[in-house]
Amino acid sequence: MTRTRKKLGEILLGWGSVNANALADALQYANEHGKRIGEALVELELCSEDDVTKALATQFGFEYVDLDQAVDKGQLDEIPKDLINRFMVLPGGMEDGRLKVIVTDPLDLETLDALRFMLNKEITPALAPPSRVKRFIDTFVNKDTDDLSKTMQSIDQDVPEEDDPASAAIAGEDGDAPIVRLVNLVIGEAVRGRASDIHVEPMGDRVRVRYRVDGVCHVRDDVPKNMQAAVTTRFKIMAGMDIAEKRLPQDGRIKMKFGSDQIDFRVSALPSYHGESIVLRILRPEAAQVGIEALGFEEDNHQIFQRIIRRPNGIFLVTGPTGSGKTTTLYAALQELNRPDRKIITAEDPVEYNFTGMNQCQVREEIGLDFARILRAMLRQAPNIILVGEIRDKEVADVAIQAALTGHLVFSTLHTNDAPSAIPRLIDMGVKPFLVASAIQAIMAQRLIRLICPECKAPDPEPDRYMMKVLGFTDEELKGAQFMKGKGCKHCNGSGYRGRQGIFELVVLNNQLRELALRRAPANELRRSAANAGMRNLLGDGKLKILRGVTTLEEVARITQAEGVVTQESAA
């Protein structure tokens, strides 16, 4: 009789590691974010990573390994270093002619099969927590190259207590102080690893460091709790913040030179339950120099976009959530239009990148210099093209529309989920429908999807049929289609993805859409009319990129939140 494997949630519930409410919260989070239930429990701090790993070991009948005791450092050469780093595994010694291999994912049978083939040995898998395996590899396998882990270990016991955190952070401005060296290493590693953000997040027993690469957060390492105050103080000193103020949010900037590049960091400090959370947004010079061709437009949308940005007047809106690349798209358009015969003025909050030939104005709310005031002053400067960083309220919207109606081309952004929804959003702000209908020329919604790594790109022999169905592929579309995926390599840190491009939903207002705007039609009616006029939605644009082999089924489903997508352990 076949034994039914217990679900992970049932095991943890039975052990008393979580309660039913926590499990329900984690399950909801897992479904919403495409995570496994174990990952959700750890990320929400509802259960320790050790307990989740022990439960997984019980669920799949694996041995749970304590890395501090079970791994003989002299046996590390039983698996080549490149395979250890590629697959995130460790050797646990030979037992009865079989090599014990310590893994982090019991469902990753592909890795075990690959190791059996490459090592030509029979394998017995065992399980250990992912963060501990990574730390062990960084410390003992990559010890010649991982300066960050070595620095952290060297100062773990030497950091001053909470009563004098600034002493370690301020000392040694020449970079010799351990805390100064640690913070510089964190920043340098993030820059070299193509990260867009560094997150330093205090928790109850540690400080978590994460890098956001291609829109996805990756845990780097945990800073010991006794180093929290010194590390936080060091970041605040570098950003020019008040180190004595710990109760209010603060913003600052850091400028550092890496090779020949001057890189700016926008720094935010936010008081949280366990201390101040620090986030550094990395502003790379090349990020603002992306040409229109590199944005990811399909040929038809590229032609429409080029026509829109060359119109003499009107408003062009780009919509989407934070981090969807709206500003990069508008910068690319402005770079295309930046010629000596055109005057371009921007109002931004904040000005992240500086461009030669443009007049860029920084919003400063504390002295009353807001978007509306800058915009009114702009009109007296006789510009041809205006960029308003964001339309936040009726006042800004009204001035932007007046600018468009008086012969200026206005670019701006708005927070809506899709392109047609921008029209009712502006009307809800209080803008008169006839002004919306007459001033807006086009609206574009966008998202960023990860691209398959070119170094390890290969045909997907077994594409997920369920995902094909969820994304709505027809038999005609699938005829002769070749799906691709990334196997994972050093070039992409094993993720299978490297770099991002946009998927777009572009609506050019025609007479019918203007009439619908005039009579305050709901978003679904506007969407239907736009689709009839030839608008391709975000999902449709993503499907074209799948068929061209530049991204995967799973990535488009994740970004477009296609209905019906569930995680592997949604029933746990």
Side-chain angles (χ1 to χ4, degrees):
M1 181 177 175
T2 305
R3 184 175 67 87
T4 303
R5 180 181 292 154
K6 290 185 74 174
K7 293 176 181 175
L8 182 66
E10 291 175 0
I11 296 171
L12 291 168
L13 208 56
W15 290 354
S17 300
V18 295
N19 57 41
N21 289 336
L23 197 61
D25 290 344
L27 185 56
Q28 182 180 351
Y29 179 86
N31 286 333
E32 289 174 354
H33 294 83
K35 305 270 185 186
R36 293 178 179 173
I37 186 69
E39 294 172 328
L41 285 165
V42 174
E43 286 190 19
L44 295 174
E45 296 185 29
L46 298 173
C47 189
S48 72
E49 188 182 44
D50 285 356
D51 283 347
V52 168
T53 306
K54 288 174 184 175
L56 284 169
T58 301
Q59 183 184 27
F60 289 93
F62 284 17
E63 176 191 352
Y64 173 82
V65 173
D66 182 347
L67 292 180
D68 295 333
Q69 301 173 7
V71 177
D72 182 349
K73 299 171 187 62
Q75 297 175 337
L76 287 174
D77 57 358
E78 289 177 348
I79 299 180
K81 181 178 176 179
D82 63 323
L83 296 184
I84 289 176
N85 281 299
R86 177 178 171 185
F87 295 114
M88 285 290 290
V89 296
L90 288 168
M94 297 294 294
E95 294 180 359
D96 300 325
R98 299 169 70 94
L99 175 64
K100 182 195 289 186
V101 175
I102 300 164
V103 299
T104 59
D105 183 356
L107 293 172
D108 191 2
L109 303 179
E110 206 172 290
T111 289
L112 295 176
D113 288 341
L115 287 171
R116 283 191 188 96
F117 176 77
M118 293 175 180
L119 300 174
N120 196 24
K121 292 179 182 176
E122 286 300 311
I123 286 173
T124 301
L127 211 58
S131 67
R132 295 199 179 194
V133 171
K134 185 178 189 313
R135 193 176 306 160
F136 191 98
I137 292 172
D138 288 341
T139 305
F140 298 108
V141 179
N142 300 329
K143 56 189 175 185
D144 295 331
T145 58
D146 192 359
D147 293 333
L148 181 58
S149 294
K150 289 194 290 185
T151 301
M152 203 175 295
Q153 287 177 354
S154 70
I155 62 178
D156 190 357
Q157 305 302 322
D158 302 326
V159 176
E161 293 300 321
E162 290 275 345
D163 57 353
D164 188 20
S167 60
I170 297 172
E173 286 296 322
D174 59 357
D176 290 336
I179 289 295
V180 174
R181 193 163 65 251
L182 172 65
V183 169
N184 289 342
L185 284 168
V186 167
I187 293 174
E189 185 177 73
V191 170
R192 288 190 298 274
R194 302 184 304 108
S196 60
D197 303 272
I198 304 169
H199 298 260
V200 183
E201 303 162 320
M203 298 184 177
D205 57 346
R206 67 193 192 282
V207 180
R208 182 170 66 179
V209 177
R210 296 194 291 172
Y211 302 148
R212 188 184 295 277
V213 181
D214 293 334
V216 178
C217 281
H218 301 273
V219 177
R220 173 54 179 93
D221 217 336
D222 293 334
V223 175
K225 189 69 174 175
N226 65 326
M227 294 162 59
Q228 175 180 327
V231 169
T232 300
T233 300
R234 179 60 192 164
F235 276 117
K236 291 173 73 174
I237 289 170
M238 294 175 72
M241 298 179 184
D242 181 359
I243 62 173
E245 179 56 76
K246 301 179 181 179
R247 301 167 299 167
L248 297 173
Q250 296 187 68
D251 293 308
R253 289 186 88 118
I254 298 172
K255 288 181 182 290
M256 295 182 74
K257 199 166 183 66
F258 289 86
S260 59
D261 291 332
Q262 177 83 23
I263 296 182
D264 285 4
F265 301 82
R266 199 174 77 208
V267 187
S268 169
L270 177 69
S272 62
Y273 186 77
H274 294 295
E276 289 178 283
S277 172
I278 306 288
V279 176
L280 285 77
R281 167 65 61 87
I282 303 173
L283 307 174
R284 304 169 188 275
E286 70 273 12
Q289 306 296 330
V290 175
I292 290 175
E293 290 74 18
L295 294 175
F297 284 114
E298 299 299 321
E299 185 55 34
D300 55 349
N301 278 345
H302 180 252
Q303 297 297 330
I304 296 170
F305 184 82
Q306 288 282 6
R307 287 200 302 271
I308 291 166
I309 65 174
R310 283 170 170 76
R311 290 187 176 182
N313 56 46
I315 294 181
F316 179 39
L317 288 175
V318 180
T319 76
T322 301
S324 59
K326 302 186 298 295
T327 303
T328 301
T329 297
L330 291 180
Y331 278 155
L334 291 182
Q335 285 288 87
E336 184 92 355
L337 301 172
N338 189 12
R339 299 288 182 271
D341 61 334
R342 297 189 183 103
K343 183 176 178 73
I344 300 174
I345 306 181
T346 75
E348 303 173 63
D349 184 19
V351 174
E352 294 186 349
Y353 302 100
N354 182 251
F355 294 95
T356 303
M358 296 186 202
N359 301 272
Q360 295 174 268
C361 193
Q362 166 81 49
V363 170
R364 296 179 64 190
E365 299 276 2
E366 68 275 10
I367 61 170
L369 190 62
D370 55 16
F371 276 119
R373 190 166 183 177
I374 294 172
L375 200 45
R376 288 193 192 93
M378 275 183 187
L379 298 179
R380 295 192 288 273
Q381 296 274 312
N384 300 103
I385 299 164
I386 293 170
L387 168 67
V388 184
E390 182 184 344
I391 293 179
R392 297 177 177 174
D393 53 40
K394 179 181 183 297
E395 187 178 14
V396 176
D398 280 338
V399 182
I401 285 173
Q402 289 304 322
L405 293 175
T406 53
H408 303 86
L409 180 60
V410 181
F411 294 101
S412 192
T413 68
L414 196 65
H415 287 290
T416 62
N417 286 329
D418 60 10
S421 298
I423 294 173
R425 174 82 180 93
L426 287 171
I427 294 172
D428 287 344
M429 279 184 184
V431 181
K432 292 181 173 59
F434 77 90
L435 291 176
V436 173
S438 55
I440 294 179
Q441 297 295 328
I443 308 162
M444 185 171 75
Q446 71 176 74
R447 301 290 188 277
L448 292 176
I449 55 167
R450 291 182 294 172
L451 304 177
I452 300 171
C453 173
E455 297 294 322
C456 60
K457 185 176 183 177
D460 187 351
E462 296 182 359
D464 193 325
R465 296 282 170 187
Y466 172 69
M467 282 291 181
M468 292 183 202
K469 182 179 178 183
V470 166
L471 293 176
F473 277 99
T474 63
D475 291 339
E476 186 66 29
E477 289 172 326
L478 293 174
K479 196 176 295 181
Q482 175 66 74
F483 295 96
M484 308 295 285
K485 70 173 183 178
K487 293 181 176 180
C489 64
K490 187 175 181 180
H491 192 61
C492 60
N493 290 326
S495 68
Y497 298 97
R498 185 178 173 91
R500 288 189 293 175
Q501 271 189 357
I503 54 174
F504 303 94
E505 180 178 278
L506 184 53
V507 176
V508 180
L509 265 69
N510 56 23
N511 289 335
Q512 185 178 5
L513 284 168
R514 295 185 197 281
E515 288 173 10
L516 291 173
L518 280 170
R519 60 181 178 85
R520 298 173 182 263
N524 59 350
E525 195 172 338
L526 289 161
R527 195 177 299 114
R528 238 186 342 264
S529 176
N532 291 336
M535 178 194 78
R536 182 170 59 245
N537 64 15
L538 293 168
L539 179 56
D541 207 46
K543 286 165 65 177
L544 290 180
K545 288 177 171 58
I546 293 171
L547 294 172
R548 284 203 290 112
V550 300
T551 191
T552 62
L553 292 160
E554 293 77 13
E555 180 67 5
V556 171
R558 179 179 74 88
I559 294 300
T560 60
Q561 298 179 346
E563 292 182 14
V565 176
V566 295
T567 59
Q568 294 179 11
E569 297 187 30
S570 60

